[in-house]
Amino acid sequence: MTYKINHVAVGILRQGESIVLIQQEFTTRPPLWLLPGGMVEPGELFQEALVREIAEETGASVEKVGRLAYAMQIDHPDRREQTIAHIFEVENWTGELKSADPDNEILQVALVPLAEAPALLAEIHWIAVREPLLTYLRGECPLGTLWFYRELDGVQVLLNRLPGEASV
């Protein structure tokens, strides 16, 4: 059985007590606020994809990729597809926040106070995206935690969560 594997690189860009979020447009649902990131292209490393996607979606230049915040795997057996995402803390970044998205899907880029971000991110309808992100931002899981989901009939279910290293 052949599966398509989608690799995704996502970044958490912080500035003081705020994080960078993008508002992305979708063809079949209302726009959502998300972390910047996207697909790893063939021949590209996760770190290279992260730098490219952040530049395209936010205008920011990543100077140093930090530690792995968390990772997730979502199995979609109905579609014979898997998504494997690595979400990284970005240690240093510079630049003016302004999207240069070649796909024209980014409606806004904003520096959002951490206290306000959960309300925007709670609107994410994919539990496999929303749950790990909100748990991590609340400090309820250590760096490097691995999340495993399976989606059947459009419903994503958490199968397992393996803790990473202790927070530092």
Side-chain angles (χ1 to χ4, degrees), residues 12-23 33-35 93 97 108-121 137:
I12 300 172
L13 287 78
R14 299 176 188 265
Q15 187 175 78
E17 292 298 313
S18 298
I19 61 171
V20 175
L21 296 180
I22 58 165
Q23 187 182 44
W33 287 96
L34 302 163
L35 293 174
W93 62 276
L97 295 178
Q108 296 182 63
V109 181
L111 193 57
V112 178
L114 275 170
E116 297 172 21
L120 295 173
L121 298 170
L137 290 178

Side-chain angles (χ1 to χ4, degrees), residues 71 142-148 158 160-165:
L143 286 166
T145 296
L146 304 175
W147 299 76
F148 301 95
L158 177 64
N160 199 5
R161 179 176 113 175
L162 300 176
E165 61 186 78

Side-chain angles (χ1 to χ4, degrees), residues 36-99:
M39 301 294 283
V40 178
E41 295 177 359
E44 198 172 39
L45 298 175
F46 276 94
Q47 181 173 335
E48 294 164 340
L50 181 68
V51 169
R52 176 184 51 76
E53 286 286 347
I54 287 174
E56 290 174 0
E57 293 185 352
T58 71
S61 295
V62 173
E63 294 180 349
K64 185 175 181 185
V65 175
R67 299 174 83 176
L68 177 69
Y70 61 92
M72 67 179 132
Q73 179 181 16
I74 310 165
D75 184 41
H76 310 274
D78 297 344
R79 299 189 326 234
R80 299 170 54 111
E81 182 174 287
Q82 287 188 359
T83 301
I84 300 170
H86 290 81
I87 296 77
F88 296 92
E89 288 280 354
V90 174
E91 282 192 26
N92 296 316
W93 62 276
T94 59
E96 179 184 345
L97 295 178
K98 181 180 178 187
S99 177

